[in-house]
């Protein structure tokens, strides 16, 4: 049993060492440059970049920059840069900044918000946790020609565009249910001049404010499975709209926003606590304002 335990520990040690070694990109004069170093280097200039997702060539470029930086750091030490007063002053600033940042982080990490507190906030601020009214619609777009596209093979004058759109409506009027929907999709594919034509005019689901006001107003007034009985004019042309579905604003489930609420309440706790601590520290500290403006006022 003891032998087995020793073997297991040895195996675990090898696994950990291998995992750590796999993070090392290169060594420079015995010092490791790791994937974490590469990611930190990227974060400084491109916060959204991920070293693991870079191409082999891009990874090589980043690694080369890190090698150069390590060698420059060694050279700077050899030349005594770390002994200069300016370096020491800057290091003291960096040290203080790091101290404050790490202390601030510890204060935020120590903030505690219970599930009941989060639920209470959710209930008391219900209006903030509502999904926006949305609709799912299709459309057939008939463009009226402008000076820019008057030579297009499928261009209409303003009057012709209205007539074409109204003709589509007249074709669809007698139909109901699936027959109406199927015919609308068919006409959208053959007659619509918008980019959604190949998809049967499908615009997907969208919030009211995502579309032009005149389009949204007309679509929202429809019931499921209905079409607009008059062409709807927008800056893009004349639309015939078919409403697939619509939904009013509905509450977002608590579980979906729980983490956001907890983080918000933690931040609020943190802000209050930091303000109180700062006030207390200032009251106990010896603070002398040496600005010329203050001294002049006192005189």
């Amino acid at each position: 049993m003891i032998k087995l335990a020793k073997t297991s520990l040895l195996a675990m040690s090898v696994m950990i060492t291998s995992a750590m070694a796999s993070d090392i990109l290169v060594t420079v004069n015995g010092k490791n440059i790791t994937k974490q170093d590469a990611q930190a280097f990227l974060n400084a200039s491109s916060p959204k970049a991920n070293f693991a997702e870079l191409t082999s060539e891009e990874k090589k470029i980043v690694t080369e920059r890190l090698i150069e930086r390590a060698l420059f750091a060694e050279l700077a030490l050899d030349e005594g840069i770390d002994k200069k007063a300016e370096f020491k002053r800057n290091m003291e600033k960096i040290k203080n900044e790091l101290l404050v940042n790490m202390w601030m982080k510890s204060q935020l990490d120590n903030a505690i918000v219970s599930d009941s507190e989060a639920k209470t906030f959710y209930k008391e601020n219900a209006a903030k946790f509502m999904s926006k009214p949305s609709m799912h619609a299709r459309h057939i777009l008939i463009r009226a020609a402008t000076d820019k596209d008057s030579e297009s093979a499928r261009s209409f004058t303003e009057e012709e565009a209205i007539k074409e759109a109204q003709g589509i409506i007249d074709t669809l009027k007698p139909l109901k249910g699936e027959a109406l929907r199927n015919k609308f999709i068919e006409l959208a594919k053959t007659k619509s001049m918008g980019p959604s034509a190949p998809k049967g005019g499908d615009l997907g689901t969208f919030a009211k404010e995502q579309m032009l006001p005149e389009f949204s107003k007309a679509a929202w007034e429809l019931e499921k499975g209905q079409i607009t009985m008059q062409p709807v004019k927008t800056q893009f042309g004349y639309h015939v709209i078919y409403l697939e579905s619509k939904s009013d604003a509905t509450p977002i489930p608590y579980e979906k926003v729980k983490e956001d609420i907890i983080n918000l309440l933690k931040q609020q706790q943190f802000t209050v606590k930091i303000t109180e601590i700062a006030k207390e520290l200032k009251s106990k500290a010896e603070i002398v304002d040496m600005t010329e403006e203050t001294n002049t006022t006192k005189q």
Side-chain angles (χ1 to χ4, degrees):
M1 182 64 73
I2 295 173
K3 185 177 180 181
L4 179 60
K6 287 183 177 179
T7 305
S8 299
L9 287 171
L10 179 61
M12 188 179 295
S13 175
V14 170
M15 287 174 65
I16 293 170
T17 304
S18 298
M20 292 175 64
S22 68
D23 285 341
I24 300 171
L25 296 172
V26 292
T27 61
V28 179
N29 293 333
K31 294 180 181 177
N32 296 335
I33 293 178
T34 66
K35 291 177 182 177
Q36 290 76 16
D37 295 327
Q39 187 59 54
F41 179 79
L42 279 176
N43 289 343
S45 56
S46 306
K48 293 183 179 180
N50 188 334
F51 182 74
E53 296 174 359
L54 299 183
T55 64
S56 297
E57 188 60 32
E58 289 169 335
K59 287 180 180 178
K60 186 177 178 181
I61 292 171
V62 171
T63 303
E64 284 298 316
R65 296 292 83 79
L66 289 169
I67 291 170
E68 290 170 1
R69 191 171 68 170
L71 293 172
F72 290 151
E74 286 183 3
L75 181 60
L77 286 172
D78 290 343
E79 294 183 1
I81 297 297
D82 58 321
K83 303 294 191 299
K84 294 189 175 183
E86 183 182 357
F87 176 84
K88 291 179 180 178
R89 284 196 302 271
N90 286 328
M91 281 301 294
E92 194 62 27
K93 290 178 184 177
I94 292 170
K95 175 184 171 183
N96 288 338
E97 191 68 27
L98 184 59
L99 280 169
V100 172
N101 287 342
M102 291 187 69
W103 180 81
M104 289 277 193
K105 183 179 182 302
S106 71
Q107 298 307 305
L108 182 58
D109 290 344
N110 289 334
I112 298 173
V113 175
S114 67
D115 188 58
S116 61
E117 287 176 305
K119 281 182 179 176
T120 299
F121 184 88
Y122 174 77
K123 290 174 183 176
E124 291 178 351
N125 296 272
K128 295 179 180 179
F129 303 108
M130 299 288 287
S131 64
K132 294 180 180 179
S134 63
M135 64 190 98
H136 178 193
R138 296 177 184 272
H139 79 141
I140 297 170
L141 173 63
I142 306 299
R143 295 184 188 276
T146 64
D147 292 338
K148 292 181 180 179
D149 58 13
S150 58
E151 296 180 2
S152 170
R154 292 186 67 195
S155 63
F156 293 96
T157 64
E158 189 85 11
E159 186 178 339
E160 288 171 341
I162 297 171
K163 187 176 180 181
E164 177 74 7
Q166 189 60 55
I168 291 169
I169 292 171
D170 293 341
T171 300
L172 295 168
K173 268 183 185 179
L175 305 175
K176 302 288 183 183
E178 279 301 303
L180 171 59
R181 184 175 183 275
N182 291 339
K183 188 64 176 178
F184 189 97
I185 291 172
E186 176 190 322
L187 292 176
K189 288 179 178 179
T190 57
K191 292 184 175 291
S192 182
M193 301 166 75
S196 64
K199 298 186 293 182
D202 193 355
L203 295 170
T205 301
F206 50 89
K208 288 175 74 172
E209 62 270 19
Q210 284 182 269
M211 294 294 181
L212 294 169
E214 52 269 47
F215 185 99
S216 286
K217 183 176 183 296
W220 195 256
E221 289 174 354
L222 297 173
E223 294 299 326
K224 179 180 177 180
Q226 289 184 342
I227 63 167
T228 47
M229 290 301 173
Q230 292 182 332
V232 178
K233 184 180 181 181
T234 70
Q235 67 192 54
F236 298 109
Y238 292 87
H239 307 257
V240 182
I241 304 170
Y242 174 87
L243 185 69
E244 289 275 7
S245 64
K246 67 178 175 182
S247 61
D248 293 316
T250 55
I252 301 172
Y254 169 69
E255 289 302 323
K256 282 193 174 182
V257 294
K258 177 181 174 180
E259 286 305 313
D260 291 335
I261 293 173
I262 289 174
N263 289 334
L264 173 64
L265 294 179
K266 279 188 174 184
Q267 187 64 49
Q268 289 178 354
Q269 275 188 28
F270 169 77
T271 301
V272 171
K273 184 177 181 180
I274 292 301
T275 302
E276 290 174 351
I277 292 174
K279 185 178 180 181
E280 183 181 353
L281 291 174
K282 286 178 182 177
S283 69
K284 294 177 179 178
E286 182 183 342
I287 301 171
V288 180
D289 192 332
M290 302 299 290
T291 59
E292 183 179 343
E293 181 182 345
T294 304
N295 291 329
T296 302
T297 304
K298 288 180 178 178
Q299 291 175 7

